[in-house]
Amino acid sequence: MKVRLITSATSPAKELVLGLAYSGKNPDLGVALQAAVKDAKKTGDLATKVRATSMFYPTGRKLPARMGFVGGGKRSEVTVDKLRRAAAVAFNLASSHEVKTFRLVVNQDDHKDLDAEVAGRALTEGLILGAYSYRKPSGDKPPTPHAQSAEILYTGGNGKGFRAGVQIGRIGAQATAFARDIENLPGNIATPRYLANQARKFKTPRLTVRIMNERDMQKHGMGALLGVSRGSREPAKMILMDYKPTGYKSTVCVVGKGLTFDTGGISIKPSANLADMRYDMCGGGAVLGLFHAIANGGMRGVKGKVRVVGVVPSSENMPDGDAQKPGDVVTACDGTTIEIINTDAEGRLILADALAYAKKIYKPRCMVDLATLTGAVVVALGHEMAGIMGSDDGLIQDLIEAGQECDEPLWQLPLWDVHRDQIKGKFADVNNLNSPAHGNGSTSGGAFLSFFTKGVPWAHIDIAGAAWGATAKDYYTSGAVGTAVRTLLHWVRGLK
Ligand code: BES
Ligand code: ZN
Ligand code: ZN
């Protein structure tokens, strides 16, 4: 989907013109649509409710074939998410009428008290994400070939701010669509090698990409990651993406679990819904999405000089004659020994090496990791939000705020010494799992990771629920949501 911004209607839109339903007074709707608004208000047909739509077929020269409205709720109750949804509904309406292109007429009044940049971003995200559809590996034709180009006609306000919003909205939404694509791909296509090859494409003068292979991992003593990969014929990869602005003052590391298929290993999972375990790389998908955005100008105009390093440990988790076994003891690259209580708690193992390595090599001021780490977080929070925990409440709060501003909610869970004590080991420094008697699941995963991030402000985001399976919401349907790409981009852009 291509989104173009215009600030004056130099040429008329031929096929379809849409307005937001509270735009009754928008002068750029044109006389015909203004008249239609008047009539529709009389009959009560002006669709104002969220997601409602109405169409008019004006007759007269120079008028578009169709005009219509998309509802966004009450004008006085406009929110960012309502704007984003309204734009996605606009796309769906245009697509269902099989037009090639359409115009969305937006006036400053439509976003009321919301900042023009925020409104521009939300509307653009809604159009692009609403238009997203997964393409089957068999064919490259999009299932909905219609309405693949839209123009937003914006008038009456801070056009400069709105334009900046459209630009960053476009970058974030396209990066999210990219993440959705690789997340939805099956495990036999989206392998660790595939993810590494995607990352290689991000190379720009300021962004370097380095891929570690298993030999490199051996050299660095990454026994935890290599232990998970042992049972797999697909070689593991550690993807390192490094964005260095000139004169950078500090470094942040963003780490994502890139487990391309999780069978559980020797502690094998039941077969029901096992196909969903291709989504076990969505943490890595979010980090790759962030770097897709950065590679495409996502840090343009940002004043803070922060180096951003993305780390994606990527592996399969398979059962095999050579697979690691419960009871095995492995050593992570920082020397910490780990007893494998359950081979299905593998995400924390590959993250342990990634976090310990990132901490040692990049000396970051803070680290954030994202992972589909525990089924328990789905039980606790469901699919509409992710869990966040860590060692630094300031960092956690910043991420929660970034999530709020992108409508990707994060909910804090505790991470206390009592959780850390539960996984101290008898046969190794730490166990990769607490005893079932303790009951807690997600915080146990977080507690394990905390052993590898000591001394660095760190936050862990468990996206096992949020990454996929959320209730459809105009700008996402079934499958991967592409969660956290926009939030991460918003957060790194705001770093000072
Ligand atoms: N990839 C899973 C977590 C998961 C579960 C993600 C459901 C998405 C949906 C992770 O590697 C895992 O298997 N975790 C286990 C841990 C258990 C062995 C303590 C889990 O949550 O069941
Ligand atoms: Zn697992
Ligand atoms: Zn897993």
Side-chain angles (χ1 to χ4, degrees):
M1 153 70 78
K2 288 204 174 70
V3 179
R4 201 164 73 94
L5 174 68
I6 53 174
T7 45
S8 67
T10 43
S11 61
K14 290 200 186 76
E15 292 186 284
L16 170 63
V17 171
L18 294 172
L20 298 170
Y22 29 70
S23 298
K25 288 192 194 117
N26 185 341
D28 291 296
L29 290 170
V31 179
L33 202 45
Q34 296 274 15
V37 171
K38 240 180 166 178
D39 292 346
K41 271 187 181 159
K42 268 188 231 149
T43 57
D45 283 350
L46 184 69
T48 53
K49 285 194 181 131
V50 176
R51 311 192 68 244
T53 60
S54 52
M55 291 291 284
F56 307 97
Y57 301 90
T59 47
R61 277 194 332 124
K62 290 193 184 162
L63 290 177
R66 307 165 187 82
M67 302 177 108
F69 283 105
V70 294
K74 277 191 194 145
R75 189 184 201 130
S76 55
E77 294 170 8
V78 179
T79 65
V80 180
D81 205 46
K82 281 181 189 166
L83 285 182
R84 195 183 289 109
R85 292 187 74 162
V89 170
F91 162 78
N92 282 321
L93 182 62
S95 172
S96 68
H97 285 274
E98 304 196 353
V99 296
K100 269 208 189 100
T101 167
F102 65 101
R103 177 179 291 173
L104 183 62
V105 183
V106 184
N107 183 272
Q108 179 191 25
D109 279 350
D110 293 335
H111 58 78
K112 226 153 144 66
D113 301 328
L114 297 175
D115 181 66
E117 179 170 341
V118 171
R121 174 158 65 89
L123 289 163
T124 308
E125 288 170 350
L127 288 171
I128 293 172
L129 294 177
Y132 172 82
S133 60
Y134 176 69
R135 296 184 194 186
K136 290 179 190 159
S138 56
D140 45 17
K141 277 206 196 109
T144 9
H146 314 296
Q148 289 301 317
S149 142
E151 55 188 19
I152 302 177
L153 168 58
Y154 182 71
T155 50
N158 176 3
K160 223 175 137 193
F162 194 90
R163 184 172 295 278
V166 170
Q167 269 158 5
I168 196 64
R170 189 187 284 133
I171 290 168
Q174 281 169 350
T176 302
F178 162 83
R180 284 182 189 174
D181 271 339
I182 55 172
E183 291 169 0
N184 281 322
L185 280 173
N188 64 328
I189 296 178
T191 58
R193 272 185 287 185
Y194 181 91
L195 298 190
N197 287 335
Q198 292 299 313
R200 283 196 178 95
K201 294 184 193 160
F202 299 153
K203 273 186 198 157
T204 60
R206 296 261 141 266
L207 204 175
T208 53
V209 178
R210 181 160 65 92
I211 312 291
M212 287 171 79
N213 60 26
E214 291 189 349
R215 280 234 326 257
D216 302 323
M217 294 173 201
Q218 238 138 24
K219 252 191 266 163
H220 284 91
M222 297 183 172
L225 171 43
L226 287 166
V228 172
S229 180
R230 268 186 72 144
S232 169
R233 308 230 172 137
E234 282 291 335
K237 301 285 173 192
M238 178 84 87
I239 303 167
L240 302 158
M241 296 162 287
D242 188 350
Y243 168 72
K244 262 193 216 178
T246 39
Y248 71 87
K249 304 256 162 28
S250 62
T251 303
V252 300
C253 290
V254 188
V255 181
K257 172 179 175 183
L259 210 290
T260 59
F261 197 81
D262 184 10
T263 66
I266 295 300
S267 315
I268 198 162
K269 287 182 182 292
S271 52
N273 303 323
L274 194 50
D276 291 339
M277 281 305 126
R278 69 177 181 284
Y279 293 122
D280 213 14
M281 41 62 69
C282 286
V287 176
L288 288 166
L290 170 66
F291 280 82
H292 181 286
I294 293 176
N296 286 287
M299 297 302 272
R300 228 174 265 151
V302 173
K303 295 219 177 66
K305 296 266 182 228
V306 181
R307 177 183 183 187
V308 186
V309 177
V311 183
V312 179
S314 185
S315 164
E316 288 184 336
N317 186 23
M318 300 291 283
D320 181 76
D322 196 37
Q324 79 175 350
K325 307 168 290 298
D328 284 1
V329 172
V330 296
T331 307
C333 66
D334 66 352
T336 307
T337 56
I338 306 162
E339 180 178 347
I340 310 299
I341 303 296
N342 187 315
T343 66
D344 196 11
E346 84 300 334
R348 59 198 75 180
L349 295 169
I350 68 172
L351 288 171
D353 269 331
L355 288 163
Y357 180 78
K359 178 177 130 178
K360 184 172 138 203
I361 301 293
Y362 301 105
K363 305 193 172 31
R365 71 186 228 208
C366 68
M367 300 202 282
V368 180
D369 79 78
L370 302 100
T372 47
L373 207 72
T374 63
V377 85
V378 192
V379 177
L381 302 176
H383 287 285
E384 318 297 332
M385 64 202 72
I388 184 167
M389 62 202 90
S391 63
D392 189 285
D393 280 337
L395 172 63
I396 290 172
Q397 209 44 49
D398 287 349
L399 287 159
I400 289 175
E401 271 164 34
Q404 246 160 19
E405 282 159 22
C406 297
D407 292 296
E408 297 187 308
L410 302 172
W411 190 260
Q412 188 174 359
L413 300 173
L415 218 188
W416 295 351
D417 283 341
V418 67
H419 302 125
R420 274 180 276 269
D421 289 341
Q422 291 170 358
I423 54 165
K424 287 188 177 151
K426 181 171 174 193
F427 298 102
D429 298 332
V430 278
N431 297 332
N432 79 331
L433 199 60
N434 59 352
S435 146
H438 292 123
N440 55 310
S442 303
T443 47
S444 169
F448 178 85
L449 296 175
S450 75
F451 283 89
F452 303 89
T453 58
K454 275 185 209 146
V456 180
W458 153 79
H460 157 62
I461 305 179
D462 194 335
I463 56 168
W468 57 285
T471 309
K473 191 182 170 186
D474 303 313
Y475 58 92
Y476 52 77
T477 53
S478 57
V481 171
T483 196
V485 175
R486 291 181 297 113
T487 296
L488 286 175
L489 180 61
H490 196 61
W491 175 69
V492 295
R493 281 177 60 85
L495 289 170
K496 291 202 183 82

